[in-house]
């Protein structure tokens, strides 16, 4: 069976060309036979039951928009009755008693969950190598990483092990793996999709979004999962009025001139920008003050929230526990040192340090001021342009084990982090391959709340690509 898009599959299912039960059976089989390690847990029994129900609904003409569609879900997103580990050994035995709002919405829409996709531990990483369950491999080259943290989701979609998946993006975790695996990854405006049931990494930056084969599929999933949710206090009730179309697209000088940018990526991105210009858009060079400080801002704000969010994993309430310890303090210490990985521990220590009394003003408070200024810089930029485009990542997928120095790993996110700091919607779409055949991603950032407008433009960019 081929790698289907959601739109194609919907047609085949409703016309009866494909049977829902056989379809889910086939995806489960593929997922089991694959050696990419894209899933931590498969949902075999339940998925087959749901497929049977889907078959019935389709037969009786009662199908919902996603009835029978095989989907993956990043393992940081809670699924009732289905193990959810967030890629961490500390949650190896955790089975949520509830569904995340996004999962509830997908289930109501008829989607069938094939399984839970592999990821970096608690979404901290850019390669899935920090997963407690072994790394996922890149379907284009198994010696390479799929990106991260939603690497299992991106690899599964690219390899046809599900039709679409949900990821989460705190600093690039949807877009960077989508870029490395040649698929479409969309991070919506902060607040447009409920985070209720997402195991939090850095709550003020985390956002759930779709990873799909094309932009049309991304639109369908976004429409299904978006909307106000009273269970998420940061969920948006209303949107600002959309800005007028200016037919102008911005580029960030610092990003395109960056030394870190691989020549193959730079070339593909420049060509794409030229094509966008040919399609009738004026290209404007933007000066966005503080954009180069994005990563520095991120690595102060994010660890502070990580340290706070991960405090609940103490061996008492959730997951595994070093039970043999006698005092409470010993139990906390042993559980957390034994079952949390190095990267998680590094960020807890960093976050606790920069938010501690005496350092709070110097680091955390200053980062928040810088964040507000960067937000304003973007707001000013969007007075002049409709979208901002550029590379998603400095390079294509790198080799497993290649980036041992954490700083080198962090630099992967230099182009994706600004959208999280400013809360803006951003999408990555494939625009070709490098000399080694690895996919290259193109990022488009939109104005706050203008997700639909961004998706329409991404579709246009995709069409230019297809009709080339
Ligand atoms: N790679 C980035 C990090 O390690 C982003 C992670 C994410 O978006 N969840 O923090």
């Amino acid at each position: 069976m081929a790698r289907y898009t959601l739109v194609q599959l919907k047609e085949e299912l409703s016309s009866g060309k494909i049977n829902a039960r056989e379809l889910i059976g086939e995806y489960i089989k593929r997922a089991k036979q694959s050696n990419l390690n894209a899933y931590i847990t498969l949902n075999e029994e339940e998925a087959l039951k749901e497929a049977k129900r889907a078959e019935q609904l389709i037969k009786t003409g009662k199908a919902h928009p996603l009835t029978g569609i095989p989907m993956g879900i990043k393992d940081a997103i809670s699924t009732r009755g289905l193990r959810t580990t967030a890629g961490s050994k500390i949650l190896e035995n955790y089975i949520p008693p509830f569904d995340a709002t996004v999962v509830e919405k997908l289930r109501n829409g008829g989607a069938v969950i094939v399984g839970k996709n592999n990821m970096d531990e608690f979404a901290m990483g850019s390669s899935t190598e920090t997963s407690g369950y072994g790394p996922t491999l890149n379907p284009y080259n198994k010696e390479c990483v799929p990106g991260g943290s939603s690497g299992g989701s991106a690899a599964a979609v690219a390899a046809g092990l599900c039709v679409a998946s949900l990821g989460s993006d705190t600093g690039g975790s949807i877009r960077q793996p989508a870029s490395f695996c040649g698929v479409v990854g969309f991070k919506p405006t902060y607040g447009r999709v409920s985070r209720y049931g997402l195991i939090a990494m850095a709550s003020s930056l985390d956002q759930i979004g779709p990873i799909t084969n094309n932009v049309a599929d991304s639109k369908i999933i976004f429409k299904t999962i978006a909307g106000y949710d009273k269970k998420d206090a940061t969920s948006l009730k209303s949107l600002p009025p959309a800005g007028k179309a200016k037919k102008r697209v911005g580029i960030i000088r610092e990003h395109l001139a960056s030394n870190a940018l691989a020549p193959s990526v730079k070339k593909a991105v420049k060509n794409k920008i030229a094509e966008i210009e040919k399609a009738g858009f004026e290209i404007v060079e933007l000066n966005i003050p503080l954009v180069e400080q994005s990563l520095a801002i991120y690595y102060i704000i994010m660890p502070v929230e990580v340290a706070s969010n991960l405090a609940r994993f103490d061996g008492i309430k959730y997951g595994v526990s070093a039970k043999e310890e006698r005092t409470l303090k010993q139990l906390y210490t042993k559980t957390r040192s034994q079952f949390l990985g190095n990267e998680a521990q590094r960020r807890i220590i960093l976050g606790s340090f920069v938010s501690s009394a005496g350092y709070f003003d110097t680091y955390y408070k200053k980062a928040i001021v810088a964040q507000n200024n960067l937000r304003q810089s973007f707001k000013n930029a969007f007075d002049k342009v409709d979208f901002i485009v550029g590379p998603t990542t400095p390079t294509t997928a790198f080799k497993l084990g290649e980036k041992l120095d954490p700083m080198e790993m962090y630099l992967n996110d230099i182009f994706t982090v600004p959208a999280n700091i400013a809360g803006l919607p951003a999408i990555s779409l494939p625009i070709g391959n490098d000399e080694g055949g690895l996919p290259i991603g193109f990022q488009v950032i939109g104005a706050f709340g203008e997700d639909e407008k961004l998706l329409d433009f991404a579709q246009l960019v995709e069409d230019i690509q297809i009709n080339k």
Side-chain angles (χ1 to χ4, degrees):
M1 219 186 288
R3 181 176 141 191
Y4 283 103
T5 68
L6 205 165
V7 176
Q8 285 168 338
L9 210 49
K10 260 166 71 109
E11 268 173 32
E12 307 264 306
L13 278 169
S14 56
S15 69
K17 267 203 202 134
I18 291 183
N19 166 284
R21 243 192 308 171
E22 280 169 30
L23 178 78
I24 297 299
E26 169 66 23
Y27 273 85
I28 296 275
K29 194 170 109 202
R30 282 190 199 181
K32 274 179 152 173
Q33 283 171 354
S34 152
N35 55 8
L36 296 174
N37 197 24
Y39 287 96
I40 293 179
T41 308
L42 282 177
N43 189 30
E44 185 169 2
E45 237 173 80
E46 272 307 306
L48 291 171
K49 268 193 223 158
E50 281 169 34
K52 212 167 150 186
R53 235 171 286 143
E55 192 185 11
Q56 219 40 46
L57 286 175
I58 294 168
K59 259 196 206 146
T60 51
K62 289 182 188 141
H64 299 294
L66 297 176
T67 297
I69 298 293
M71 282 198 61
I73 306 280
K74 184 180 189 176
D75 210 22
I77 302 174
S78 303
T79 41
R80 186 175 10 96
L82 180 61
R83 182 167 77 133
T84 300
T85 70
S88 180
K89 282 287 176 193
I90 211 165
L91 288 179
E92 192 166 17
N93 58 5
Y94 175 59
I95 299 179
F98 71 106
D99 272 333
T101 298
V102 287
V103 171
E104 195 180 293
K105 287 187 168 189
L106 286 178
R107 288 202 213 259
N108 289 343
V112 177
I113 298 169
V114 173
K116 303 301 294 289
N117 291 122
N118 199 1
M119 57 181 284
D120 283 293
E121 184 177 20
F122 288 112
M124 295 181 231
S126 304
S127 67
T128 72
E129 290 169 295
T130 72
S131 167
Y133 304 85
T136 298
L137 311 181
N138 190 310
Y140 281 82
N141 178 345
K142 296 205 176 80
E143 283 173 24
C144 291
V145 303
S149 64
S150 315
S153 297
V157 172
L161 310 179
C162 59
V163 175
S165 181
L166 291 186
S168 65
D169 191 312
T170 307
S173 275
I174 289 176
R175 292 160 286 157
Q176 186 257 15
S179 165
F180 279 14
C181 292
V183 292
V184 173
F186 172 46
K187 180 201 92 73
T189 295
Y190 183 79
R192 290 229 41 199
V193 174
S194 167
R195 291 180 297 106
Y196 178 72
L198 169 69
I199 296 176
M201 175 184 162
S203 316
S204 77
L205 306 167
D206 297 342
Q207 186 61 192
I208 295 174
I211 297 185
T212 54
N213 279 301
N214 61 18
V215 179
D217 289 3
S218 189
K219 283 184 177 177
I220 296 173
I221 302 286
F222 176 64
K223 214 169 152 197
T224 311
I225 61 174
Y228 171 71
D229 179 12
K230 64 174 185 309
K231 291 179 189 152
D232 173 359
T234 60
S235 143
L236 289 172
K237 263 196 180 137
S238 59
L239 295 172
K244 266 216 246 99
K246 305 163 191 80
K247 278 278 188 180
R248 274 199 296 265
V249 169
I251 53 176
I252 302 177
R253 194 183 318 123
E254 292 85 350
H255 283 185
L256 280 172
S258 164
N259 285 336
L261 199 56
S264 57
V265 178
K266 190 176 195 162
K267 195 168 151 220
V269 167
K270 284 204 159 162
N271 285 343
K272 188 55 55 195
I273 293 169
E275 286 167 14
I276 292 172
E277 191 171 17
K278 250 196 241 149
F281 290 86
E282 186 190 337
I283 307 294
V284 183
E285 248 196 31
L286 296 169
N287 172 29
I288 302 193
L290 282 171
V291 77
E292 283 185 290
Q293 274 68 50
S294 297
L295 212 56
I297 299 170
Y298 178 74
Y299 274 95
I300 300 289
I301 295 176
M302 174 273 295
V304 169
E305 296 185 24
V306 163
S308 160
N309 279 324
L310 264 56
R312 62 174 68 96
F313 304 110
D314 55 9
I316 305 283
K317 194 165 177 186
Y318 299 97
V320 293
S321 175
K323 285 202 185 70
E324 68 282 6
E325 295 306 318
R326 307 186 68 180
T327 69
L328 193 59
K329 195 169 169 205
Q330 278 170 345
L331 185 130
Y332 285 163
T333 313
K334 190 73 180 293
T335 303
R336 286 164 72 79
S337 339
Q338 200 173 330
F339 298 109
L340 287 175
N342 288 345
E343 189 57 33
Q345 294 193 35
R346 178 179 295 117
R347 296 192 194 195
I348 290 169
I349 293 169
L350 186 63
S352 307
F353 176 77
V354 296
S355 60
S356 57
Y359 291 105
F360 186 86
D361 285 357
T362 324
Y363 295 115
Y364 186 73
K365 222 168 147 189
K366 213 164 157 190
I368 294 290
V369 171
Q371 175 182 33
N372 283 330
N373 291 342
L374 181 60
R375 280 203 176 142
Q376 192 54 48
S377 305
F378 269 109
K379 210 158 176 263
N380 297 344
F382 282 110
D383 285 340
K384 300 189 201 99
V385 299
D386 300 304
F387 311 101
I388 299 174
V389 299
T392 307
T393 55
T395 66
T396 52
F398 47 89
K399 294 251 162 71
L400 284 148
E402 189 185 311
K403 296 198 191 292
L404 294 174
D405 172 6
M407 259 317 276
E408 258 189 61
M409 192 66 93
Y410 299 168
L411 285 172
N412 255 283
D413 303 314
I414 42 172
F415 304 141
T416 48
V417 157
N420 300 82
I421 302 286
L424 304 173
I427 190 166
S428 174
L429 54 155
I431 54 161
N433 301 74
D434 70 4
E435 51 293 336
L438 291 167
I440 297 170
F442 187 72
Q443 178 175 237
V444 189
I445 306 175
F448 188 88
E450 298 189 355
D451 301 65
E452 287 79 2
K453 184 173 156 188
L454 171 66
L455 286 164
D456 285 344
F457 179 72
Q459 189 134 41
L460 185 137
V461 177
E462 187 182 67
D463 287 345
I464 301 178
Q465 182 71 20
I466 293 167
N467 299 325
K468 236 181 13 183

